[in-house]
Amino acid sequence: MNRIGRREACRLGATSALVMAGLGAGTVVGSAGASTDGQIVFVYDDSWREDWTDTFPVHQDEGVPACCAAVVDYVDTSWGLLPEHLREMEAEGWEIMSHTASHVAVGNLYLTEPAEPGDERLYLDGSFLGHYDGDEIVISDGDRTVENVIAGGDRDDTGIYLDLADPVGEAFDAGTAFARFTDERVGDEVVGSKAALENMGVDVDAFVSPFGRSDGLVDDLVQDHYAAFANRGGNGLNALEGLDSYELGRSSIDGQSVSEAEIERFYDDVAAGDYLGIVVGHSQFDETTPERVRFAIREAKARDLEIVTLREALTDLDAWPATGDERAGGSADDGNGTETETTAESDGTESRASADRIASAVRDNRAPILAGTGAAAAAGLAGTALYRRFDREDEDRL
């Protein structure tokens, strides 16, 4: 009896799922051939309604899946995806990922200037905390950790700064010391978001970090509770040799980020080498139209690249680990040993305020973000889209 390989098994399983979902026996996920020139994973960040109205239908029409990186506070708003959208996407072959609870920077922000005990201002390599007045943070160098409260932030001739409610109390060196939200807040954002999305009836195994910030506690929590970190760093060409599901990078397909020729060159690199290609798009961008999405899909097909979800790709490549929850027997906690019971009940007011803060932060950080590659560049552009779109009336986002 002939034996089928992992790639064929994954394709058959995905096709069966689509058939059971009512798409018909003619639907094929990815390439129809027994072997391909590589695999591509599409990820769409932020869970805006355009994922459902604009992007999802194109993928359905092309017969290929994708991944939705969902922000809990954006779901079930007038401008975000609804829980039933997530469930239907998953039922028809998509993978749902976590993109935190409220789209805040959960990774470390490093000091760019030394801090003295009496200082009430820190200079950091990003302003992502500056718009959260009154929120608690920690400042640490790994050996010493102090707590404080955000009292605003801005930029001056020295750089981006964060004001504190009280003097920092310790001396900290630039480059090694960092500021971030508290352990409890980071746990809620990283682990609590997984629980909240799964309470909506979907499976969540991969994490996407806002703004590409992934150093510190967030990295530990992801490895404890998820099977993959989808934007830990890199340019989207993930080498198959020694592939690590927690060290993945992405490349953009967004209209204002890359040209069509650059997308084609990226696919050429995937097809020519031993890579897993991962691309990210933002459906809410004016330039990331259904036509741009269809172009990105068809150019991948033209190079015989199989389009799969991240879960399918990593399973196919024997790089899919047991999640921390599975190792721990299925319980989810907030990073401090406390079981998380998170629900997503929102009228959109707080999440809109959060997105306004994100847009403001990206205006301040746009140059350093765009100077990077992969996830960091895509994150900066995501915030730019938020800034542009929140100037519109609510009906434009329905």
Side-chain angles (χ1 to χ4, degrees), residues 14 17-23 49 51-53 55-57 59-61 64-68 75 81-96 197 200-203 309 311:
L18 291 169
V19 171
M20 292 179 67
L23 294 180
R49 187 67 60 87
D51 281 352
W52 177 258
T53 58
T55 299
F56 182 64
H59 275 264
Q60 292 296 93
D61 186 47
V64 296
C67 306
C68 171
V75 177
L81 294 177
L82 301 178
E84 52 264 39
H85 294 154
L86 297 176
R87 291 191 292 269
E88 184 165 343
M89 284 175 165
E90 182 179 72
E92 300 202 12
W94 282 47
E95 177 180 347
I96 309 303
L197 290 169
M200 298 179 195
V202 295
D203 292 327
T309 65
R311 184 188 292 119

Side-chain angles (χ1 to χ4, degrees), residues 314-326:
L314 294 176
T315 300
D316 188 23
L317 296 167
D318 287 334
W320 184 257
T323 65
D325 289 347
E326 289 169 347

